[in-house]
Each structure stands twice: as structure tokens, then as C-alpha cells.
């Protein structure tokens, strides 16, 4: 039988205050192939996070916080298909960001070919140009693209905030492993979408 293990405790902050001028919301890979019932690599709990992510995105926009997206993007024959099967082919319906979270004209979308949203994208230079020092990272998949992007942010000394009700995984083990890693290894702040506040604001 597989070993039964307890998840070590991690703190979940009841309130996190951020400065919208130096904070960005990064929504990771909320695309049809990952979210929809007919998606090629559906994450079972991803659809349930749509309302909480939408509220967090709307909160960010109300406070003039930068809103960024990653979009997993693959060409035919991508080596990653040997691991996961064909998914998010560029130009396909499955590749598109879901309608409920579709980016506005002022948002930035970073197409990526690997798990890490910083790898061979302009995410880092965009953050630097905008004076961002804090990233609120959410989306899917928790222990894959969310975790690797959060890790990459943390080793660049960005403060990472992970709203766990806005994040999904293929199973609960993967979800808990990702939260523990982001909190313990990278000093990420674990919280919920509704706990995020803006300094000097009642919202």
C-alpha cells in the first residue's frame, strides 16, 4: 500500500495587504484544455475556481493593479506531448483562455512553452519595467505551472502570494504538496482571494 503521510502545517493568512502600484496578479493557464469538461488535459477542480479568480481579477482592476496571464502554448510535435499527450495547440480552441477570464486590452498575456512562466518569456522584463515586487499567483496546475512559476519568481526575490481558493490541481495530494513547497521552500504567503486587501482601502 502507498504510504500515508500527514501534510506539515502551513500558515494561511487571514488578511494580506498589498500595494497595487507594486503588485501584479498573474493568472496561470486558465485555458479551455485545462478547464473544460472536453479539455484534453482537464483539471477536475479548475472550473470551480473560475468565480474566485474572477472576483480577484475584478478586485485587482478596481485598484489599478496590473493583471497578467500565462498561456501554455505548444506547436505540433512538442516534446512535452510525450509526457502529457497533445494539448493547448497554438490556435486551437483548447489553447484559448476561458471566456469568463478573458484578458482585457490593457492586460498582458505571456505565451510559454514550459511549466515556468519566466522561461523564455518577457515576464521578468515586464515586471521590472513596471516596478513590480509582489506577485499574486493563481490558476492551474498547482504543482506544475503555478508552482514552477512561483518558484522562479521567488528565486528572483519577488514576494509571492498564493490564494489557494483560486488555484487548482489534478488531485488533493498535488495541491497540498504545492502549497507546502511554496510556503516552506520559497517563503510564499498562503491566503485566500477574499483576504487580499489594498493599503488604505476598505475594499
Amino acid at each position: 500500500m502507498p504510504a500515508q503521510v500527514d501534510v506539515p502545517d502551513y500558515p494561511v493568512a487571514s488578511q494580506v495587504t498589498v500595494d497595487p502600484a507594486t503588485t501584479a496578479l498573474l493568472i496561470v493557464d486558465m485555458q479551455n484544455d485545462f478547464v473544460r469538461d472536453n479539455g484534453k488535459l482537464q483539471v477536475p477542480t479548475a472550473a470551480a475556481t473560475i468565480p474566485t479568480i474572477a472576483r480577484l481579477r475584478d478586485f485587482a482592476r478596481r485598484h489599478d493593479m496590473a493583471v497578467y496571464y500565462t498561456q501554455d502554448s505548444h506547436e505540433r510535435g512538442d516534446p512535452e506531448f510525450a509526457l502529457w499527450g497533445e494539448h493547448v495547440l497554438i490556435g486551437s480552441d483548447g489553447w484559448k483562455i476561458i471566456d469568463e477570464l478573458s484578458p482585457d486590452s490593457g492586460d498582458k498575456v505571456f505565451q510559454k512553452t514550459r511549466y515556468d512562466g519566466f522561461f523564455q518569456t518577457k515576464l521578468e522584463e515586464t515586471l521590472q519595467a513596471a516596478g513590480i515586487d509582489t506577485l499574486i499567483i493563481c490558476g492551474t496546475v498547482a504543482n506544475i505551472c503555478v508552482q514552477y512559476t512561483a518558484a522562479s519568481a521567488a528565486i528572483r526575490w519577488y514576494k509571492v502570494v498564493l490564494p489557494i481558493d483560486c488555484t487548482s490541481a489534478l488531485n488533493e495530494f498535488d495541491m497540498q504538496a504545492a502549497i507546502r513547497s511554496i510556503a516552506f521552500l520559497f517563503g510564499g504567503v498562503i491566503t485566500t482571494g477574499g483576504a487580499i486587501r489594498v493599503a488604505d482601502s476598505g475594499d
Side-chain angles (χ1 to χ4, degrees):
M1 269 184 80
Q4 299 294 310
V5 298
D6 293 325
V7 179
D9 289 339
Y10 50 79
V12 179
S14 59
Q15 185 168 314
V16 177
T17 302
V18 298
D19 178 354
T22 59
T23 302
L25 172 64
L26 182 62
I27 300 171
V28 175
D29 296 1
M30 289 295 286
Q31 297 162 253
N32 288 323
D33 264 351
F34 299 128
V35 179
R36 300 302 185 202
D37 286 342
N38 60 349
K40 291 187 175 180
L41 197 57
Q42 186 196 15
V43 179
T45 57
T49 67
I50 296 171
T52 51
I53 295 173
R55 284 194 292 272
L56 184 56
R57 178 204 57 188
D58 294 346
F59 168 85
R61 287 176 176 160
R62 282 199 308 274
H63 294 285
D64 297 320
M65 190 185 301
V67 177
Y68 302 146
Y69 293 76
T70 66
Q71 184 177 22
D72 206 29
S73 301
H74 298 297
E75 302 278 3
R76 291 195 183 278
D78 192 300
E80 191 173 296
F81 295 164
L83 292 171
W84 299 106
E86 188 177 276
H87 61 285
V88 292
L89 279 173
I90 293 170
S92 69
D93 186 64
W95 170 74
K96 295 174 185 174
I97 294 169
I98 61 171
D99 289 342
E100 297 94 323
L101 297 174
S102 115
D104 278 356
S105 57
D107 301 335
K108 289 184 169 60
V109 179
F110 299 92
Q111 294 180 10
K112 63 181 182 61
T113 59
R114 296 295 179 263
Y115 304 155
D116 179 0
F118 286 84
F119 180 73
Q120 295 184 349
T121 73
K122 293 188 175 181
L123 176 57
E124 184 172 14
E125 80 177 58
T126 300
L127 297 175
Q128 290 175 344
I132 300 298
D133 62 23
T134 301
L135 275 178
I136 302 168
I137 302 176
C138 65
T140 205
V141 181
N143 66 316
I144 307 176
C145 296
V146 172
Q147 180 174 328
Y148 278 83
T149 300
S152 214
I155 64 174
R156 290 167 169 80
W157 298 116
Y158 290 98
K159 180 181 178 181
V160 171
V161 178
L162 180 73
I164 53 178
D165 59 338
C166 301
T167 306
S168 55
L170 289 164
N171 55 62
E172 187 60 21
F173 176 88
D174 290 349
M175 183 73 178
Q176 293 301 319
I179 297 169
R180 163 68 174 171
S181 293
I182 291 169
F184 179 68
L185 292 179
F186 304 115
V189 176
I190 309 304
T191 191
T192 59
I196 297 172
R197 300 284 186 271
V198 166
D200 302 320
S201 169
D203 190 357

